[in-house]
Amino acid sequence: MSDLRYTDTEEELRAAVRALLTDRAPAATVLARAESGTPHDPALWQALGAGIGAAGLLVPEKLGGQGAGPREAAVVLEELGRAVTPVPYLTSSVIATEALLACDAQLPAVASLLASLAAGTTVAVVALPLTLGPGAPGPAPVRDTGGGLLDGTVTSVADAAVADVLLVLADTGLFAVRAEQARIEPAVPLDLTRPLATVRLDGAYGEPLAGPVTATAVLRRALLAGAGLLASEQLGLADWCLTETVRHVRERHQFNRPVGSFQALKHRLAQLWLEVAQARAAARNAADALATGDSEAALAVSLAQAYCSGVAVRAAEECVQLHGGIGMTWEHPAHLYLKRAKADSLALGTTGHHHDRIAQLAALPAP
């Protein structure tokens, strides 16, 4: 039986990431960068990816990475969720990295990309809609017009604006396209800390990474890992909302009493505590299943997504409501958490999609 408790190594990693984010990405800084239209902080990304080594956690040591795994990456994502940090960790260090790991690492193009991703010097993004979940039919692939020249459009690509390399699924396989060869048109996202864009390719050259058969397996692995570890980001977000709300209702007084002493609020926060505890178990189980290659990893991932998605939204809503008037202001970070939670509830498959997946994977009969 797997031990889902955090190891000493994971706790040390958490402490390092939290200390960095506390110093370099406090709420006021995140809000200011989100308002600026350029939320990503290259210096912070370098400190996280290269300084701490978080960018290479999923990459084997022989390919230039840390040789860790999904459990460690999940801890990083918990902390990034707690701070709604605008860095391309999920898209580059998880989804794109897992896509490349599913390719043939003997190919120089694949090995070189993995090494640069692990070093934190390159940001790669899979050119697919952020809403695409594991097991869902993908969009029409980009056309290869011959010689690796690609034509097509992909919408709602997360973090495309800061990508150096786009991993593009075409009708003839998977290709790596330098971002400067594509036309990237920013969209207005709900979550300002995770920008979206439309990627337009008009004869852009792509370096081949995998054939059409392998590309299908690449897509499956990348989306599964992304959905499974997104649950940890949602867990971190929900945990911050709960902790901050409890702190506020202890300090806020009405009628000469702390607001948190009112029975109705005690019940609401106790229920939320239970949901966050259950979300932690689901998220840890998904990360552990991915780390161990469990045969039921897909089921664990959909269970985690179906549950953690709703908990994150409820925790953010309670955070806004129980902060009263201040929770409705732009200056308070609660709205950043609510927007991230709402956006995450659509990312990598909706709750309804994952419920359908659970029914299919567990062979549950329809009503």
Side-chain angles (χ1 to χ4, degrees):
M1 182 178 292
S2 297
D3 186 350
L4 302 184
R5 292 174 296 181
Y6 299 101
T7 65
D8 290 342
T9 301
E10 290 165 355
E11 290 293 6
E12 289 169 5
L13 175 61
R14 180 195 306 283
V17 174
R18 185 174 295 188
L20 173 67
L21 298 182
T22 300
D23 180 50
R24 305 281 287 274
T29 299
V30 172
L31 182 57
R33 293 198 69 90
E35 287 179 304
S36 73
T38 54
H40 291 297
D41 181 351
L44 174 61
W45 173 245
Q46 188 65 20
L48 176 70
I52 292 179
L57 287 175
L58 297 179
V59 181
E61 290 185 66
K62 64 181 181 180
L63 296 175
Q66 305 298 323
R71 285 178 58 126
E72 290 78 10
V75 170
V76 174
L77 280 164
E78 280 185 40
E79 293 306 309
L80 295 176
R82 284 181 60 87
V84 287
T85 313
V87 293
Y89 191 82
L90 178 69
T91 48
S92 181
S93 300
V94 175
I95 299 175
T97 297
E98 285 286 354
L100 290 168
L101 289 171
C103 298
D104 183 2
Q106 299 299 318
L107 290 175
V110 175
S112 174
L113 254 179
L114 279 170
S116 60
L117 285 179
T121 56
T122 296
V123 173
V125 169
V126 178
L128 288 172
L130 182 62
T131 52
L132 185 64
V142 168
R143 285 191 311 113
D144 180 358
T145 60
L149 299 180
L150 308 178
D151 277 342
T153 300
V154 188
T155 60
S156 301
V157 181
D159 295 327
V162 295
D164 302 299
V165 176
L166 300 167
L167 303 183
V168 179
L169 182 67
D171 51 6
T172 56
L174 186 71
F175 294 83
V177 177
R178 299 299 304 181
E180 59 266 22
Q181 296 193 43
R183 192 161 81 251
I184 298 173
E185 302 171 353
V188 180
L190 171 64
D191 175 15
L192 296 176
T193 64
R194 181 168 282 150
L196 303 176
T198 296
V199 174
R200 300 190 189 278
L201 303 170
D202 184 13
Y205 173 71
E207 188 167 12
L209 301 176
V213 176
T214 304
T216 302
V218 166
L219 179 63
R220 186 185 309 118
R221 173 171 174 169
L223 293 178
L224 186 67
L229 296 184
L230 176 62
S232 291
E233 177 181 292
Q234 292 166 324
L235 165 63
L237 185 156
D239 190 53
W240 182 92
C241 289
L242 173 62
T243 302
E244 181 62 20
T245 304
V246 169
R247 183 200 62 75
H248 176 76
V249 299
R250 281 176 171 170
E251 296 176 357
R252 177 84 168 99
H253 282 66
Q254 279 187 353
F255 309 113
N256 244 5
R257 293 174 53 189
V259 171
S261 66
F262 300 152
Q263 192 74 2
L265 297 193
K266 286 182 178 181
H267 287 169
R268 288 170 67 171
L269 289 171
Q271 179 61 36
L272 185 57
W273 183 90
L274 286 172
E275 292 178 3
V276 172
Q278 290 164 349
R280 188 178 306 280
R284 291 294 292 168
N285 182 55
D288 185 73
L290 291 168
T292 58
D294 193 306
S295 61
E296 295 191 344
L299 179 58
V301 165
S302 284
L303 281 168
Q305 263 305 299
Y307 190 74
C308 295
S309 179
V311 171
V313 171
R314 282 192 294 276
E317 289 174 342
E318 290 286 62
C319 182
V320 170
Q321 291 177 16
L322 296 185
H323 271 78
I326 193 174
M328 305 293 178
T329 64
W330 184 261
E331 291 75 18
H332 194 278
H335 66 92
L336 292 176
Y337 289 84
L338 180 58
K339 291 168 185 173
R340 173 67 70 88
K342 290 284 190 180
D344 278 359
S345 70
L346 302 176
L348 296 164
T350 63
T351 300
H353 168 74
H354 286 286
H355 282 158
D356 290 342
R357 288 270 291 170
I358 291 168
Q360 176 188 2
L361 293 168
L364 297 174

